[in-house]
Amino acid sequence: MDTGTPATVGFGALLRGLRTGAGLSQEELALAAGVSVRALSYMERGRSRGPQRRTVQALAAALGLDADGARQLEYTASLGRPRRAAATDVPPTAAVPDAVAPAGAPDLLPRAPRGFHGRVAELAALSRAAEGEAPVCLVVGPAGV
């Protein structure tokens, strides 16, 4: 899909261009995608640079994008999601099979929580367990503990 926008354009500018190209107002697109007008406005203005994957998929469907267009929108959104920093001095945990994500694969996990302290080893073990193809991880326990 050629949107006429350079590859360096951020998610917000790409989304705004696709929306205006489709002749939709923010209200119309928000209603069709099932997101709030405020959230859509934040995305277009760059205040929310990396929305969740399901939000991007809903926007792509509401915009009527083909598979290539939806992939490009999803990839651009993934570039706005912060990457996790590598954990240092983490004790070894249970063996997890080594897997390498394809080069250029978008990070489709939610953003790291803010203010989550004191669980470096546990977060590193969870990150290692979540690598690979189609991982499933279950975290149990009371919230906030």
Side-chain angles (χ1 to χ4, degrees), residues 2-111:
D2 183 16
T3 60
T5 56
T8 58
V9 170
F11 176 76
L14 176 60
L15 179 60
R16 184 175 34 259
L18 291 169
R19 178 183 57 79
T20 57
L24 297 172
S25 68
Q26 282 185 339
E27 292 81 10
E28 292 168 331
L29 179 56
L31 180 65
V35 299
S36 71
V37 175
R38 179 181 292 179
L40 184 59
S41 173
Y42 283 175
M43 285 182 250
E44 287 189 358
R45 289 185 291 143
R47 187 167 177 185
S48 174
R49 293 184 302 267
Q52 292 185 1
R53 184 179 188 193
R54 63 179 173 258
T55 302
V56 177
Q57 290 170 341
L59 289 168
L63 287 165
L65 299 180
D66 60 8
D68 289 336
R71 242 187 326 273
Q72 179 181 359
L73 187 64
E74 191 171 309
Y75 177 75
T76 305
S78 75
L79 296 176
R81 296 183 191 116
R83 302 283 189 246
R84 288 186 207 94
T88 57
D89 299 328
V90 177
T93 59
V96 176
D98 291 334
V100 177
D107 181 10
L108 302 177
L109 295 175
R111 292 185 200 132

Side-chain angles (χ1 to χ4, degrees), residues 116-129:
F116 196 69
H117 301 286
R119 299 284 188 230
V120 174
E122 291 82 359
L123 286 174
L126 185 59
S127 294
R128 283 193 304 276

